[in-house]
Amino acid sequence: MSHAVSSPDGRIEVTILLAGGVPYYSVDRLGREVIGKSRLGFVLRDGRVFNRGLEIGDVTRSSYDSTWVQPWGEVREIRDHHNELRLEFVESAPGLCRMTVVFRVFNDGLGFRYEIPGQPGLEQLVIMDERTEFVLGETDNAWWIPAFMGNRYEYLYQKSPIRDLEAIHTPLTIETADGLFLSIHEAALTDYASMALRRTKDNTLECDLVPWADGTKVKASTPLVTPWRTIQIADEPGELVTSYLVLNLNEPCRLEDTSWITPGKYVGIWWGMHIGKYTWGSGRNHGATTENAKKYIDFAAKYGFVGVLIEGWNTGWDGNWIQNGEIFNFTTPHRDFDIEEVTRYAAERGVGIIGHHENGAAIYNYERQMEPAFYYYKRLGIDMIKTGYVGTRVNKTEWHHGQYMVEHYRSVVEAAARHRIMLDVHEPIKDTGIRRTYPNMLTREGARGMEYDAWSGDGGNPPEHTTILPFTRMLSGPFDFTPGIFDLFFNQYRPNNRSNTTLARQLAHYVVIYSPLQMAADLPENYDGQPAFQFIVDVPADWEDTRVLHAKIGDYVTIARKDRNSEDWYIGSVTDENGRTLKTSLDFLDPGREYVAEIYADAADADWESDPLAIDIYEREVDYTTNLEINLGPGGGQAIRIRPVNE
Ligand code: NOJ
């Protein structure tokens, strides 16, 4: 017996069937198989299973079409248009257990989740395994990072045939043999373990829930609603970037007033620590001193940055903080940091301070102090906090991605919302679209950011890194990548490291890598007197619209975004280690309107290895009929601001 549900445009069809009491689903697009017959269900600790001996119970259908507005984001409006099918599965014997699987099919993919209602004898349950499968094509390839590793999500993406994969994180991006592009991920990860994927046979991936230290996967009570398992489907990789399916599967905003949530750009006492100019801990080179903070505040005020991040301001950094996170104190500043004076000085100049809570993954210590620490910051006028969870296991026992931490990260978002605090989370749980429900969850790390260029023993992020991120990590949500390094060699501090880009490419990252909070990461002295800095001053962090103009995963990407608060458009384009010219139509501009393009381009001889600083900055008139040739040097990029003439 089978049931089917299609996308509103009829192109995607999901079929759910029961074979010998076992539930399966499959997905076709335009009659071609995208996901083969894949199993559904669970194994519980008490021996009960929700994956065989089942019959189909109630079946209900509905359709939905409405448009909602993001308080901030990569586009203003998002249309949620889907068909829903709810299928109840009932155990034929002996316990008559019931569960419902809900499918929502959109024009750009689908999501499904399990609902286990309250029922006699099943008030509490422990999930030992979720049996959700994704059967892919025999010759499909994937861009992936490994799961169950010490550095969380911070690995370079690799491309391999599905049959060579082991355990990997989502979002997982797949190029099918048919030339389609898929992203497998999850939405609304709440009170549950996060989903890694493990290849079980041939080209079959199975949900591999991140376990608790005791080996169980999810401890829950009924009614239980799991996160959505999502499959986005696109003809072109750029369509994955502009698919908002994961957000559509999250609950609407729970905050009545979001006017206090403000995207923007920031600077910080930060890069100096990563290259070794400053220390987080106390001593001669301590970065977070009152005097230094004032210098950064002056710089932020001069150029209109909304915030100054100050790391290493509190006690707990001295010694091996990664091992000793339990001594971090979140209300005691170092002696050379007068926090009252710094916050007063900043407020006087209209600059916000971005607080910092690195907890070294010592969660007991952090949770004990969190409320007083939020009060402390709020009293000082600090309403944005960067958190950090460095370490391979939290409390030295649990994964960063298991249910324990899913619940912790959420409790921080909720507590922050109560205090009207915005968050930037480093070493986070992966993004599953929670920002829709809690827009104070502004941005996060969860991938290899710019800091790897400062100290990584493998030479930092290779040029192709940011040509892959938009189609992989970025599909989950905003990334605090921290672009904007102008002194690409920092020889004075770290002669064996460098940033593997051209200068123009550093600018392009502000458009290519979306974040509502963007850092100008370099030392202020490296920006002074640099004409290229004007682009960082101008570029917004909140967008009306987003278009992907070129996309070849691992080779190049060009993205255009329209400012939310003006008629300006911005373009960012980056390439891998190969230089190239990309022909670019500006047909997204308003017809009949004249514009000026302010272009920050790799100079003719620019090359990330031999001549990375060679940049040409110039203006030209453009309109919607213009075809630009974007020239990118090896490892290079181009950034463009397009503004209407005389407006
Ligand atoms: C790692 C974070 O990614 C980085 O931004 C921060 O400076 C350090 N941890 C210290 O908290």
Side-chain angles (χ1 to χ4, degrees), residues 343-612:
T343 47
R344 187 201 60 75
Y345 189 85
E348 215 171 73
R349 283 154 184 78
V351 173
I353 295 296
I354 302 178
H356 188 228
H357 285 172
E358 171 60 60
N359 56 47
I363 301 307
Y364 297 139
N365 180 49
Y366 187 45
E367 287 187 341
R368 238 190 336 262
Q369 296 186 57
M370 199 167 79
E371 281 289 325
F374 283 0
Y375 273 113
Y376 177 80
Y377 266 159
K378 276 305 271 197
R379 183 182 64 74
L380 291 160
I382 295 175
D383 57 10
M384 194 180 281
I385 301 180
K386 171 175 170 181
T387 56
Y389 296 80
V390 173
T392 55
R393 292 286 194 288
V394 300
N395 297 333
K396 301 201 166 66
T397 50
E398 300 286 350
W399 291 105
H400 280 66
H401 324 307
Q403 185 184 9
Y404 173 72
M405 283 304 282
V406 170
E407 288 176 1
H408 165 80
Y409 286 114
R410 180 62 61 83
S411 71
V412 179
V413 174
E414 289 174 358
R418 282 197 301 277
H419 289 271
R420 296 195 157 204
I421 285 174
M422 294 169 268
L423 289 174
D424 169 8
V425 182
H426 279 231
E427 299 77 39
I429 190 71
K430 67 181 167 185
D431 199 344
T432 59
I434 296 306
R435 64 182 159 130
R436 177 174 178 190
T437 315
Y438 292 102
N440 62 311
M441 180 56 251
L442 275 186
T443 191
R444 66 186 84 201
E445 192 187 41
R448 279 176 60 130
M450 183 63 80
E451 64 191 32
Y452 274 77
D453 292 1
W455 41 251
S456 183
D458 65 5
N461 297 323
E464 70 166 13
H465 186 53
T466 53
T467 68
I468 301 174
L469 287 180
F471 311 101
T472 51
R473 157 66 182 81
M474 299 304 303
L475 300 182
S476 69
F479 177 14
D480 186 30
F481 179 78
T482 67
I485 298 307
F486 276 29
D487 177 10
L488 296 166
F489 295 99
F490 37 91
N491 275 335
Q492 192 186 343
Y493 305 107
R494 283 273 159 75
N496 297 326
N497 292 83
R498 60 160 293 184
S499 205
N500 305 316
T501 74
T502 63
L503 176 59
R505 186 204 186 95
Q506 290 285 334
L507 305 179
H509 286 153
Y510 287 88
V511 186
V512 168
I513 300 175
Y514 170 63
S515 177
L517 201 58
Q518 286 282 25
M519 186 176 205
D522 209 341
L523 307 172
E525 54 266 36
N526 293 332
Y527 292 134
D528 273 334
Q530 293 284 343
F533 185 55
Q534 189 59 43
F535 185 82
I536 301 182
V537 171
D538 292 338
V539 69
D542 194 18
W543 305 102
E544 180 72 23
D545 197 3
T546 287
R547 312 274 176 99
V548 180
L549 307 182
H550 307 110
K552 187 146 189 330
I553 309 178
D555 289 350
Y556 55 86
V557 52
T558 307
I559 296 183
R561 302 191 198 265
K562 181 165 188 282
D563 182 13
R564 249 205 206 199
N565 300 304
S566 76
E567 293 304 306
D568 295 357
W569 282 84
Y570 288 78
I571 296 178
S573 183
V574 298
T575 179
D576 61 2
E577 65 288 352
N578 300 306
R580 63 187 87 234
T581 299
L582 298 172
K583 293 200 181 351
T584 310
S585 158
L586 301 185
D587 59 4
F588 50 84
L589 297 177
D590 288 347
R593 206 170 190 175
E594 299 291 315
Y595 295 83
V596 174
E598 299 170 0
I599 298 176
Y600 299 74
D602 287 330
D605 48 358
D607 180 316
W608 74 276
E609 263 186 303
S610 55
D611 197 2

